[in-house]
């Protein structure tokens, strides 16, 4: 793997209107985010999260899932730092502190994570085309850098986004859960790199950092 690998995060439309954090009693309300509709379970989950953490770090903040997470965290009154290769003024307008950087650069990752007490590692390169390094650099080395930064900065909570591709070997799947074993063979570099990264995350789970 080489340090000049990159990760591409495509911008998507943001459905949440800019606002200031308004406190937990307004999660899902118009003052928190006029176009963000949260059901009762989401509100309860955000309420519980905001009681435990104050500053979240989101990799891949510019992607579809990353933006959705940022929206909800901001609505809960949680400070958010987003990390992405691109520039996302719509997230900054929402109240997210955006940092441009590359997951394969450990110093950039560590510096951006300063002051955070939870990390949502959402960023990855997905797809089926490209060589091995184009997937393993951002997905495996990037995950290793996130884990190392969490340990160095004593960040106690790390949430990792995996993929169903880690169990898929070409046959239909239904009724599976986290106990389903990894595929006996991976169909592409994306699935293989994500399986390795997921194992790293599970191995990193300890008293000081919960993954």
């Amino acid at each position: 793997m080489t340090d000049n690998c990159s990760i591409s995060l495509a911008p998507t439309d943001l459905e949440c209107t800019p606002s200031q954090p308004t406190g937990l009693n307004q999660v899902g309300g118009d003052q928190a985010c006029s176009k963000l509709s949260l059901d009762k379970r989401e509100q309860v989950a955000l309420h519980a999260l905001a009681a435990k953490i104050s500053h979240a770090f989101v990799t891949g903040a510019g992607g579809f899932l990353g933006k959705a997470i940022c929206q909800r965290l901001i609505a809960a009154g949680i400070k958010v730092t987003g990390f992405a290769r691109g520039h996302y003024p719509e997230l900054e307008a929402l109240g997210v502190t955006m940092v441009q950087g590359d997951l394969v650069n450990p110093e950039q990752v560590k510096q951006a994570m300063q002051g955070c007490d939870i990390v949502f590692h959402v960023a990855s390169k997905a797809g089926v085309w490209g060589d091995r390094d184009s997937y393993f650099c951002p997905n495996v080395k990037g995950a290793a850098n996130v884990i190392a930064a969490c340990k160095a900065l004593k960040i106690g909570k790390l949430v990792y986004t995996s993929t169903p591709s880690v169990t898929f070997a070409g046959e239909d799947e239904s009724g599976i859960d986290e106990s389903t074993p990894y595929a006996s063979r991976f169909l592409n570099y994306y699935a293989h790199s994500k399986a390795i990264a997921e194992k790293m995350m599970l191995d990193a789970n300890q008293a000081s950092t919960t993954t």
Side-chain angles (χ1 to χ4, degrees):
M1 293 182 288
T2 58
D3 287 343
N4 62 349
C5 298
S6 63
I7 179 171
S8 177
L9 297 172
T12 58
D13 292 334
L14 190 66
E15 297 180 353
C16 184
T17 57
S19 65
Q20 295 298 319
T22 57
L24 297 174
N25 62 332
Q26 294 171 328
V27 169
D30 289 342
Q31 292 182 340
C33 190
S34 64
K35 294 185 180 180
L36 184 62
S37 178
L38 303 178
D39 62 27
K40 185 64 176 179
R41 290 177 299 177
E42 286 182 289
Q43 293 183 44
V44 170
L46 285 171
H47 188 287
L49 182 63
K52 296 180 180 179
I53 61 103
S54 60
H55 189 175
F57 181 78
V58 182
T59 71
F64 178 79
L65 180 57
K67 283 186 177 181
I69 292 173
C70 288
Q71 290 171 356
R72 284 154 175 78
L73 293 171
I74 289 291
I78 298 170
K79 183 179 179 181
V80 180
T81 296
F83 189 80
R85 286 180 59 83
H87 179 55
Y88 297 91
E90 66 272 37
L91 283 177
E92 294 175 340
L94 181 64
V96 178
T97 301
M98 289 301 301
V99 177
Q100 286 186 265
D102 196 324
L103 284 172
V104 303
N105 186 314
E107 288 305 316
Q108 288 182 359
V109 173
K110 182 180 176 182
Q111 182 62 35
M113 286 169 57
Q114 297 278 349
C116 296
D117 47 17
I118 187 171
V119 172
F120 292 87
H121 182 34
V122 184
S124 70
K125 174 171 179 174
V128 297
W129 305 110
D131 61 23
R132 183 180 185 276
D133 276 359
S134 70
Y135 290 92
F136 275 64
C137 280
N139 296 352
V140 178
K141 185 172 183 179
N145 288 340
V146 169
I147 292 170
C150 281
K151 292 181 177 180
L153 299 173
K154 294 179 170 46
I155 297 174
K157 297 178 177 64
L158 170 56
V159 181
Y160 176 69
T161 302
S162 189
T163 170
S165 296
V166 301
T167 64
F168 184 67
E171 301 293 335
D172 291 343
E173 295 181 313
S174 64
I176 65 173
D177 59 20
E178 293 84 353
S179 66
T180 303
Y182 292 113
S184 57
R185 63 182 181 89
F186 297 106
L187 302 186
N188 47 58
Y189 292 129
Y190 169 65
H192 192 186
S193 64
K194 290 292 285 185
I196 293 174
E198 182 180 295
K199 291 177 183 177
M200 291 165 51
M201 291 289 171
L202 293 172
D203 289 342
N205 184 45
Q206 52 190 265
S208 59
T209 301
T210 303
T211 62

